[in-house]
């Protein structure tokens, strides 16, 4: 397992639940920070996020977390896990707040679920998508190790990711529409759900992340 995990802190969300979950599964050292030197020196990086995307993008850019994330991914090639709005921020653009430009590290957009939504039986679905839902594993990946296909994870979101390059799709979720629940490319794995809130399956995914060398 990597000696140090940096959880990028740009002021959005309770990052200490991520920190606690990583420690629970055996991370030797977890630092919650936006300090450039600490992030560059870490063995692996977690990029979480909750809240409005416009506010998140503003803080990401103000604190230069966009450049730090790009360095971790493209120059240092260290394993990176993006969570929830962290996943959405990787895309090119979000429909939220009338349209927000994101980081553009992955091709695709972030869309509103829309209304009305219904399940396969015609039952109305509420937005935000909040609670437990099964994730279909669309492609094999080291982070799915010891996690059953269809395992339930915890979601909280009103917008969902749709990657233009469908080869990136690692997991999907059905909530009136089929949404991207996980994307993978090289040393990046991104999830819409919250592994730190997803009990056994989420802890297994975080444990897999600590063991992952950044290759598929």
């Amino acid at each position: 397992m990597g000696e140090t995990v940096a959880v990028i802190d740009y002021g959005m969300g309770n990052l200490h639940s991520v920190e606690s979950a990583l420690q629970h599964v055996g991370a030797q050292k977890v630092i919650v920070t936006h300090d450039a030197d600490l992030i560059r020196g870490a063995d692996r990086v977690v990029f979480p996020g909750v809240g409005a995307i416009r506010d998140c993008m503003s803080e990401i850019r103000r604190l230069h977390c966009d450049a730090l994330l790009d360095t971790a991914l493209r120059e240092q090639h260290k394993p990176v896990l993006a969570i929830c709005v962290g996943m959405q921020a990787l895309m090119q653009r979000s429909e939220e707040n009338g349209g927000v430009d994101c980081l553009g590290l992955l091709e695709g957009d972030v869309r509103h679920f829309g209304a009305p939504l219904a399940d396969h039986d015609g039952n109305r679905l509420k937005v935000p998508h909040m609670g437990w839902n099964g994730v279909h594993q669309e492609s094999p990946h080291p982070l799915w190790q010891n996690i059953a296909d269809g395992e339930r994870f915890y979601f909280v979101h009103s917008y969902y990711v749709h990657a233009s390059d469908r080869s990136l799709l690692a997991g999907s979720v059905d909530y009136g529409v089929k949404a991207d629940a996980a994307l993978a490319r090289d040393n990046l794995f991104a999830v819409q759900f919250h592994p730190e809130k997803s009990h056994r399956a989420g802890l297994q995914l975080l444990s897999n992340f600590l063991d992952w060398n950044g290759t598929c």
Side-chain angles (χ1 to χ4, degrees), residues 120-160:
H120 295 298
D121 298 321
N123 300 311
R124 186 172 180 178
L125 299 173
K126 296 180 180 180
V127 177
H129 173 207
M130 181 180 295
W132 296 87
N133 206 339
V135 173
H136 176 63
Q137 296 173 20
E138 298 283 353
S139 61
H141 193 278
L143 266 69
W144 292 138
Q145 185 175 355
N146 297 321
I147 298 173
D149 187 20
E151 185 68 77
R152 291 163 66 83
F153 290 85
Y154 190 81
F155 291 82
V156 183
H157 61 126
S158 299
Y159 294 80
Y160 67 95

Side-chain angles (χ1 to χ4, degrees), residues 8-199:
I8 296 181
D9 179 11
Y10 51 94
M12 306 300 291
N14 178 16
L15 306 185
H16 293 290
S17 60
V18 178
E19 177 186 22
S20 295
L22 287 165
Q23 291 171 336
H24 181 79
V25 297
Q28 296 177 20
K29 182 178 181 181
V30 183
I31 50 175
V32 179
T33 183
H34 62 258
D35 182 275
D37 290 336
L38 292 176
I39 294 170
R40 282 194 291 262
D43 298 285
R44 56 195 70 233
V45 172
V46 177
F47 182 54
V50 296
I53 190 69
R54 187 181 300 279
D55 294 338
C56 288
M57 292 308 306
S58 176
E59 289 304 291
I60 287 168
R61 291 187 170 112
R62 184 181 70 85
L63 296 170
H64 306 294
C65 294
D66 50 346
L68 291 170
L69 184 62
D70 189 66
T71 297
L73 284 169
R74 299 183 181 181
E75 295 180 24
Q76 297 179 309
H77 304 289
K78 62 181 64 176
V80 175
L81 173 65
I83 298 173
C84 195
V85 174
M87 175 187 184
Q88 295 182 6
L90 299 172
M91 310 312 293
Q92 292 169 303
R93 188 166 177 81
S94 173
E95 292 181 350
E96 191 174 347
N97 302 124
V100 176
D101 289 332
C102 300
L103 296 175
L105 294 175
L106 298 177
E107 291 186 3
D109 56 6
V110 184
R111 306 172 180 179
H112 191 260
F113 275 110
L117 279 180
D119 63 17
H120 295 298
D121 298 321
N123 300 311
R124 186 172 180 178
L125 299 173
K126 296 180 180 180
V127 177
H129 173 207
M130 181 180 295
W132 296 87
N133 206 339
V135 173
H136 176 63
Q137 296 173 20
E138 298 283 353
S139 61
H141 193 278
L143 266 69
W144 292 138
Q145 185 175 355
N146 297 321
I147 298 173
D149 187 20
E151 185 68 77
R152 291 163 66 83
F153 290 85
Y154 190 81
F155 291 82
V156 183
H157 61 126
S158 299
Y159 294 80
Y160 67 95
V161 165
H162 181 82
S164 301
D165 182 354
R166 302 311 288 162
S167 70
L168 299 176
L169 185 63
S172 63
V173 63
D174 190 348
Y175 194 71
V177 298
K178 187 176 180 180
D180 297 354
L183 301 176
R185 187 179 70 187
D186 301 329
N187 54 322
L188 170 67
F189 196 82
V191 296
Q192 180 63 70
F193 52 83
H194 286 271
E196 77 280 8
K197 297 180 181 179
S198 296
H199 299 173

